[in-house]
Amino acid sequence: MENPIIETNTPILRLNNVSVSYTPGKNAVNNVSVDIEENRITAIMGPSGCGKSTLLRAINRMHDLYPNIKTTGEIYLRGENIMEMDAMTVRRKAGMVFQRPNPFPTMSIAENVLAGYKLNGLRLSRGEKDEIIESSLRDVGLWDEVKDTLNKRGSFLSGGQQQRLCIARAVALKPEVLLMDEPTSALDPIATKRIESLLLELKKQFTIIIVTHNMSQAARISHKSMFMYLGELVEYDYTKKMFTSPTDKRTESYLSGKIG
């Protein structure tokens, strides 16, 4: 019999009764409570429209940008309630990578990596800039591919390279948590495999939460998985256990393709 996983990690992120509504009286995410462990990959799975991306965006206060979206509950990052922190500070601590690669089109590769510093009004010396550009691009395995073209626009890169540039832009600020909203869904299988390998490396430095439609991706790279359905967190467990013996019938139906 296989030994159970002994969990020693304390949670870096704690969500307490988090709800998000786009229209009054109707929650797109309903009372989600969950603890996320440090230096792990946690997957959020579920059918379209179940609240996966909505929950992810609540973690770095993206909903604040839209006055009609209301977020309630508590989200603690290392014991601090991010709902009471300055939103720009939160976004430095919780970096976001989106579904489609979105390097800033008018910026060079180097400028894209440093974009977070510029947006936050953080001044850097030339030496600091060079060091951050190189280390961030090395972190995502892109340095050797682009080191001679740092002044070219990021939009000239392939789709997979663009997404790695976007990840470099997110890790450049050294966030506590990396939030990824289906980061490989617009990529081909080879680029997808490369990003997955990259995430397994990056979890040594960062805590990663990834929204994915791809169940096999969750099985390959995540330590724990959350299954969401109709705005609710149905199940949260070790990915291996969830895929082999889910405790909720709805999870089982989703994993076997009966709902989705």
Side-chain angles (χ1 to χ4, degrees):
M1 187 177 162
E2 200 175 313
N3 290 328
I5 299 169
I6 306 296
E7 198 53 74
T8 55
N9 275 25
T10 49
I12 184 173
L13 198 64
R14 176 163 278 167
L15 277 63
N16 256 345
N17 295 321
V18 173
S19 296
V20 184
S21 61
Y22 294 95
T23 49
K26 184 169 166 38
N27 287 344
V29 166
N30 196 35
N31 283 333
V32 170
S33 294
V34 71
D35 285 355
I36 304 290
E37 289 148 13
E38 191 168 5
N39 296 114
R40 304 289 196 198
I41 299 175
T42 301
I44 308 178
M45 301 183 297
S48 292
C50 70
K52 304 185 297 295
S53 296
T54 299
L55 181 66
L56 192 76
R57 286 161 186 244
I59 295 170
N60 80 339
R61 302 265 302 273
M62 292 242 354
H63 297 312
D64 289 22
L65 303 170
Y66 306 94
N68 59 315
I69 304 176
K70 189 170 192 295
T71 305
T72 58
E74 301 162 326
I75 302 172
Y76 292 97
L77 178 59
R78 292 201 191 282
E80 278 190 274
N81 188 355
I82 69 160
M83 307 302 275
E84 295 169 357
M85 289 164 64
D86 171 67
M88 289 295 274
T89 305
V90 173
R91 288 176 206 136
R92 283 208 299 273
K93 290 174 180 280
M96 177 78 85
V97 177
F98 296 95
Q99 190 169 354
R100 296 204 163 270
N102 62 340
F104 296 122
T106 59
M107 289 187 183
S108 68
I109 292 167
E111 286 167 340
N112 261 285
V113 175
L114 297 172
Y117 287 88
K118 190 174 182 180
L119 289 169
N120 283 281
L122 302 171
R123 300 184 75 81
L124 298 166
S125 69
R126 181 71 257 173
E128 286 170 327
K129 286 180 182 176
D130 290 345
E131 190 181 323
I132 290 164
I133 290 164
E134 182 171 347
S135 65
S136 303
L137 291 171
R138 281 193 187 281
D139 279 346
V140 302
L142 202 52
W143 174 252
D144 289 333
E145 295 166 44
V146 302
K147 63 184 177 187
D148 299 322
T149 54
L150 291 174
N151 293 320
K152 280 188 77 170
R153 288 186 184 179
S155 49
F156 287 111
L157 299 171
S158 71
Q161 287 175 319
Q162 285 187 34
Q163 193 62 305
R164 281 188 284 145
L165 176 59
C166 293
I167 297 170
R169 186 172 69 199
V171 302
L173 280 164
K174 296 287 179 238
E176 305 267 351
V177 180
L178 268 180
L179 308 171
M180 313 196 108
D181 195 355
E182 298 198 54
T184 61
S185 65
L187 304 179
D188 63 58
I190 292 168
T192 294
K193 191 175 178 185
R194 183 112 195 227
I195 298 279
E196 287 180 4
S197 301
L198 165 63
L199 297 187
L200 291 169
E201 276 300 304
L202 287 175
K203 74 172 181 178
K204 295 171 188 172
Q205 298 180 62
F206 306 98
T207 301
I208 298 170
I209 306 173
I210 180 170
V211 164
T212 181
H213 263 106
N214 186 333
M215 285 184 266
S216 53
Q217 181 173 72
R220 283 191 298 270
I221 68 171
S222 70
H223 176 68
K224 280 189 169 181
S225 288
M226 300 162 61
F227 170 61
M228 292 190 67
Y229 189 61
L230 301 176
E232 292 187 10
L233 176 58
V234 172
E235 191 162 344
Y236 176 51
D237 211 332
Y238 295 106
T239 302
K240 199 170 185 180
K241 181 178 178 299
M242 191 184 287
F243 274 79
T244 50
S245 53
T247 57
D248 193 287
K249 282 281 181 209
R250 290 166 294 176
T251 313
E252 191 179 335
S253 295
Y254 177 71
L255 293 172
S256 61
K258 290 174 189 158
I259 58 173

